[in-house]
Amino acid sequence: MLSFPVILIRLTLALVLGGVIGLERELTAHSAGLRTNALVSLGSALFMLISQYGFTDFLALQHVQVDPSRVASYVVAGIGFLGGGAIAFYREQERVKGLTTAAAIWSVAALGLACGAGLIVEALTTTILALIVLVGLRWLECWLHSRHRPQSHKLRIQANAVTGQLLGTITEACTSSGITLQHLEVRTGEAGALVEVACLIPPGVAFAQAVSQVQNLPDVQSIQIDVEHLAQHREE
């Protein structure tokens, strides 16, 4: 049986390492933050200590065997329920959010198990590597997405009236330029008509030329463009 100071060191280290991963999640405003990850790591460490040393009194009994790996395997399986709660699918925007946070919770549980088992160097190394993935690779991912992923644009076209020529020109200008139309909505009022167009713009597409083609129509009063990078909505 381990001495209490050694147990305290292992539990404290698990708490700190889990808190470090959770702090990154907290600073980036994710649901499972500092306290969640710290508690997951702490609890996993305690489970491992219980698995290794909590049943030593029963070893003296006949026909009793203790397998420390069984509790660890249940922690690995059980943590999936907590990680699954961090994942959400937004059907309107067709995107998934929370996958990276769920993966971080899963990794933090492994950190706690490692600390509980006394694998201190391995736990420290894993924490450093996890921070490299969460912090360093985020910048690389954003850079790659800004160069290779399409952008979501929303056009608000104010017109005197909605005509077949206007809608036809909007559709033709987008499709001929390689722009994907996602949604088109027409609203009418006393001041005229408002056409809202949601579209995806691949890199290298002459979007300004397509907008200029619509702007030159006689009935068009003004065009407002809202730009939203899809990379910002990736699940983390």
Side-chain angles (χ1 to χ4, degrees):
M1 182 67 182
L2 295 177
S3 63
F4 179 74
V6 174
I7 294 177
L8 183 60
I9 290 174
R10 292 187 182 185
L11 292 176
T12 303
L13 182 62
L15 178 66
V16 172
L17 295 183
V20 169
I21 303 298
L23 180 61
E24 188 279 335
R25 297 283 85 191
E26 191 79 35
L27 293 176
T28 51
H30 290 85
S31 55
L34 177 62
R35 293 185 299 172
T36 301
N37 285 273
L39 287 174
V40 168
S41 183
L42 177 63
S44 298
L46 182 58
F47 275 128
M48 178 56 77
L49 289 170
I50 293 173
S51 179
Q52 286 182 314
Y53 308 107
F55 306 102
T56 54
D57 294 340
F58 296 96
L59 293 178
L61 300 178
Q62 191 176 8
H63 306 301
V64 173
Q65 295 181 346
V66 176
D67 182 8
S69 65
R70 294 187 63 183
V71 173
S73 64
Y74 283 118
V75 171
V76 174
I79 201 65
F81 291 98
L82 185 58
I87 301 174
F89 174 68
Y90 296 85
R91 186 178 301 275
E92 297 81 5
Q93 300 169 343
E94 294 186 353
R95 65 186 179 94
V96 178
K97 185 175 179 60
L99 287 175
T100 305
T101 300
I105 294 175
W106 189 60
S107 300
V108 164
L111 286 177
L113 292 174
C115 292
L119 303 176
I120 306 303
V121 176
E122 290 80 357
L124 290 171
T125 303
T126 302
T127 302
I128 295 173
L129 294 175
L131 288 176
I132 291 175
V133 171
L134 291 173
V135 179
L137 293 189
R138 180 191 299 119
W139 300 108
L140 176 61
E141 191 177 54
C142 291
W143 179 77
L144 290 174
H145 291 160
S146 64
R147 293 177 60 89
H148 302 289
R149 286 184 66 87
Q151 293 178 331
S152 177
H153 287 56
K154 179 175 286 187
L155 302 181
R156 292 184 173 89
I157 304 170
Q158 190 70 42
N160 296 323
V162 177
T163 62
Q165 181 185 3
L166 174 62
L167 298 180
T169 303
I170 294 174
T171 304
E172 176 63 25
C174 291
T175 54
S176 62
S177 301
I179 299 172
T180 303
L181 286 177
Q182 294 182 302
H183 179 71
L184 191 149
E185 182 179 353
V186 178
R187 301 177 183 176
T188 58
E190 297 180 357
L194 176 64
V195 181
E196 290 190 351
V197 181
C199 52
L200 284 179
I201 316 297
V205 169
F207 179 60
Q209 182 178 355
V211 173
S212 177
Q213 185 176 349
V214 178
Q215 179 72 64
N216 292 332
L217 291 175
D219 290 330
V220 174
Q221 300 175 358
S222 63
I223 298 180
Q224 180 183 351
I225 305 174
D226 294 337
V227 181
E228 183 178 10
H229 290 277
L230 292 185
Q232 296 175 352
H233 292 290
R234 284 184 57 82
E235 147 47 306
E236 291 196 2

